[in-house]
Amino acid sequence: MEEEEEAATTRGSLLLKQKLDNNDQWSSSDHGGMQLSESLSTTTPIVVLSTLAAVCGSFTFGSAVGYSSPSESGIEDDLGLTSAEYSIFGSILTIGAMLGAVFSGKIADFIGRKGAMGVSETFCILGWLAIVFAKDAWWLDLGRFLVGCGIGILSYVVPVYIAEITPKNVRGSFTSLSQLMIGCGKALTFLIGSLVNWRTLALIGIIPCLAHLLGLFFIPESPRWLVSPVQCILDFFFKLAFTWCINQEGSKFCLFFFFLAKCGRLEEFEVRLQFLRGENADISQEAADIIEYTENFRWISEDGVLHLFQGKYAYSIIVAVGLMAFQEFGGLNGFAFYTSSIFESAGFSSKIGTILAAVVQILMTTLGVLLIDKCGRRPLLMISATGACLGCVLTGFSFFLQDLQRGKELIPILVLIGVLVYLGSFELGMGGIPWIIMSEIFPINIKGLAGSLVTLVSWTGSWVVSYTFNYLFEWSSAGTFFIFAVICGVGILFIGKIVPETKGRTLEEIQASFTHIQQ
């Protein structure tokens, strides 16, 4: 089996390397170069519509994350929950998301990107309804858990779907819209939550879920999924089983029906790709590259999680898992979930600080969307991680002064600056780019399993930081942020030494280079 896998990847090696070495010839060719450019760079209305429909799931994600803060006092008063019980309600979201993350890749592989988004929104709707009609803590926790399962799937499948349907020159900007919508969902939920009660807010949370489900009826499935090895194998066994039921000698026709299954998927793939690129676009080169690359992985087995740690996949796993680890353990949920507590501890108005933080986050996320395909992933990640490190240092230094009982008049302002610098810098790059890179770097035969692993790492880190932050803050408020600063500093080195640039390259080019097919 190992020799077959090596042979498959070697076949792809020569062809892909030849294509990539001839990129200059493509760009200089008057006829062929123009056709390739038109196919890959045209942003059609259906691509925009599909992206907007997909990021409704990101808005759902943001709404779920932002729900617990404005609802705390209302839920505790109406249902008589203690602070400990409400903490369980708040944190169980991440437990559900961890479970959703485990199955997110497999679900997206077996029923498609659209199907996975539909399943996730069904979980979210059921969860929100359980919260709306909750009479005790048990129903609240069940609803929150179901919403967590839904957003655990969404956090993987939304960026993957957008990355697979968009042209390479706008892939970064379109995929980073997911992070922008998460921020908008959190901010709008916080704003609406200050005006309505918690049950009404939960009912409003269903609206983006329904909008997403409705949008799925009008957008195409990812063309790359249609020719993925998992999908073709599923089609093969379905047709094989159907044939065997009709004819006991159906095994004689196995190859024939596999051919029919494959041809049917190829035809649908070409129709969907043409639909996305425009009626008059020449998709021949792009389609050929996608099919050729997918063919090289068609018969490579997926042996489970251990299969991911083979030498040829190690680099992509290290990059994706490393980025997610630094994203979460660099203090994100400490700042995001406990913004009000941080401001109050420093003697600054939590209401004003939270509003300023929400505005800064949305502005910086928007700036990141505009810059990512111009400046690239690596520069924004470096700037973002450096700014996050500086924000942690400023916040930690503020509480250090507070412990020394010095500069009391400066402490609130320094904490405000530190928190805004951290959150703004984080949203510029570290918030969304790790998800973009995760959606770009894994080859099709391991994308589902690897994506599940990376998403699980993200949500596990989210839970660890949100659970331990209060204990760390009580131990040492200054020390907590200095620990986050050290982690962010190591993250800068990791990005500088390990993370490559993926701007302006097709998914097939990126994945080939990551799996060392190009030699």
Side-chain angles (χ1 to χ4, degrees), residues 85 88-90 92 136-146:
E85 288 175 325
I88 294 173
F89 170 74
I92 203 170
D136 52 38
W138 191 89
W139 280 102
L140 276 177
D141 292 342
L142 175 62
R144 189 74 166 162
F145 178 79
L146 289 174

Side-chain angles (χ1 to χ4, degrees), residues 42-81:
T42 302
T43 304
T44 59
I46 191 60
V47 169
V48 175
L49 174 64
S50 299
T51 301
L52 292 177
V55 296
C56 286
S58 301
F59 193 93
T60 298
F61 184 160
S63 299
V65 172
Y67 178 79
S68 58
S69 180
S71 303
E72 182 173 2
S73 59
I75 291 177
E76 289 180 351
D77 292 341
D78 290 353
L79 299 183
L81 267 64

Side-chain angles (χ1 to χ4, degrees), residues 108-305:
D109 277 349
F110 279 94
I111 64 174
R113 311 326 189 200
K114 286 175 58 179
M117 287 188 278
V119 168
S120 63
E121 292 295 10
T122 302
F123 275 112
C124 289
I125 290 173
L126 292 175
W128 284 123
L129 288 174
I131 293 173
V132 169
F133 296 106
K135 300 297 183 182
D136 52 38
W138 191 89
W139 280 102
L140 276 177
D141 292 342
L142 175 62
R144 189 74 166 162
F145 178 79
L146 289 174
V147 172
C149 291
I151 67 173
I153 299 171
L154 286 172
S155 61
Y156 166 75
V157 73
V158 170
V160 166
Y161 174 77
I162 297 172
E164 289 182 346
I165 66 168
T166 48
K168 65 180 182 180
N169 63 310
V170 296
R171 187 176 62 241
S173 298
F174 276 52
T175 308
S176 56
L177 284 174
S178 174
Q179 187 67 23
L180 176 61
M181 293 302 289
I182 292 173
C184 291
K186 288 190 290 187
L188 191 59
T189 299
F190 184 85
L191 177 62
I192 296 174
S194 64
L195 304 174
V196 301
N197 65 52
W198 61 275
R199 292 187 192 274
T200 304
L201 186 62
L203 198 60
I204 292 172
I206 298 176
I207 295 175
C209 303
L210 294 176
H212 193 190
L213 284 175
L214 181 63
L216 293 178
F217 289 100
F218 300 97
I219 63 176
E221 181 57 87
S222 164
R224 285 178 168 87
W225 175 76
L226 291 171
V227 291
S228 65
V230 171
Q231 184 57 29
C232 287
I233 291 171
L234 284 175
D235 283 346
F236 166 60
F237 281 110
F238 173 78
K239 291 184 182 293
L240 175 59
F242 180 74
T243 305
W244 186 259
C245 290
I246 295 176
N247 186 349
Q248 288 297 318
E249 297 183 355
S251 57
K252 296 179 181 179
F253 303 98
C254 286
L255 293 177
F256 173 69
F257 275 97
F258 176 70
F259 175 77
L260 289 181
K262 182 176 176 182
C263 287
R265 281 297 172 185
L266 286 178
E267 182 179 353
E268 187 177 355
F269 157 76
E270 292 175 356
V271 170
R272 294 289 181 262
L273 186 60
Q274 188 74 67
F275 185 48
L276 286 165
R277 296 294 177 258
E279 183 179 353
N280 298 320
D282 184 354
I283 63 166
S284 56
Q285 186 62 42
E286 183 181 7
D289 288 344
I290 293 171
I291 293 171
E292 181 179 282
Y293 184 76
T294 304
E295 280 292 328
N296 292 316
F297 289 98
R298 185 171 303 285
W299 299 112
I300 297 179
S301 64
E302 186 177 307
D303 300 324
V305 173

Side-chain angles (χ1 to χ4, degrees), residues 266-481:
L266 286 178
E267 182 179 353
E268 187 177 355
F269 157 76
E270 292 175 356
V271 170
R272 294 289 181 262
L273 186 60
Q274 188 74 67
F275 185 48
L276 286 165
R277 296 294 177 258
E279 183 179 353
N280 298 320
D282 184 354
I283 63 166
S284 56
Q285 186 62 42
E286 183 181 7
D289 288 344
I290 293 171
I291 293 171
E292 181 179 282
Y293 184 76
T294 304
E295 280 292 328
N296 292 316
F297 289 98
R298 185 171 303 285
W299 299 112
I300 297 179
S301 64
E302 186 177 307
D303 300 324
V305 173
L306 294 180
H307 187 70
L308 300 178
F309 299 99
Q310 293 183 8
K312 59 189 172 186
Y313 303 132
Y315 182 36
S316 56
I317 292 293
I318 289 171
V319 169
V321 170
L323 284 174
M324 289 300 179
F326 287 114
Q327 180 194 64
E328 295 299 337
F329 290 104
L332 168 61
N333 283 340
F335 281 92
F337 287 2
Y338 299 96
T339 308
S340 298
S341 300
I342 294 171
F343 285 135
E344 290 171 0
S345 299
F348 191 84
S349 170
S350 61
K351 186 172 185 179
I352 295 174
T354 304
I355 293 173
L356 288 174
V359 171
V360 167
Q361 285 179 280
I362 291 175
L363 290 176
M364 293 303 290
T365 306
T366 304
L367 181 62
V369 171
L370 297 175
L371 293 178
I372 188 169
D373 281 318
K374 294 181 173 66
C375 300
R377 281 65 156 160
R378 266 173 56 90
L380 287 184
L381 281 173
M382 291 292 289
I383 294 171
S384 177
T386 303
C389 183
L390 177 60
C392 290
V393 170
L394 286 173
T395 309
F397 181 68
S398 303
F399 284 107
F400 180 69
L401 289 178
Q402 187 182 67
D403 292 340
L404 296 177
Q405 296 184 349
R406 294 183 179 180
K408 291 183 179 180
E409 66 281 356
L410 292 176
I411 291 173
I413 300 301
L414 282 176
V415 167
L416 175 64
I417 294 173
V419 171
L420 294 184
V421 167
Y422 178 89
L423 293 175
S425 299
F426 188 90
E427 295 299 338
L428 181 66
M430 286 298 292
I433 293 179
W435 294 101
I436 295 172
I437 292 178
M438 180 274 294
S439 69
E440 294 176 329
I441 63 177
F442 294 123
I444 197 71
N445 66 309
I446 66 163
K447 178 169 280 191
L449 193 58
S452 293
L453 173 64
V454 173
T455 308
L456 178 61
V457 168
S458 175
W459 282 108
T460 302
S462 175
W463 178 79
V464 169
V465 172
S466 61
Y467 180 78
T468 60
F469 181 83
N470 273 334
Y471 298 104
L472 289 171
F473 198 73
E474 291 176 4
W475 162 70
S476 172
S477 52
T480 300
F481 295 104

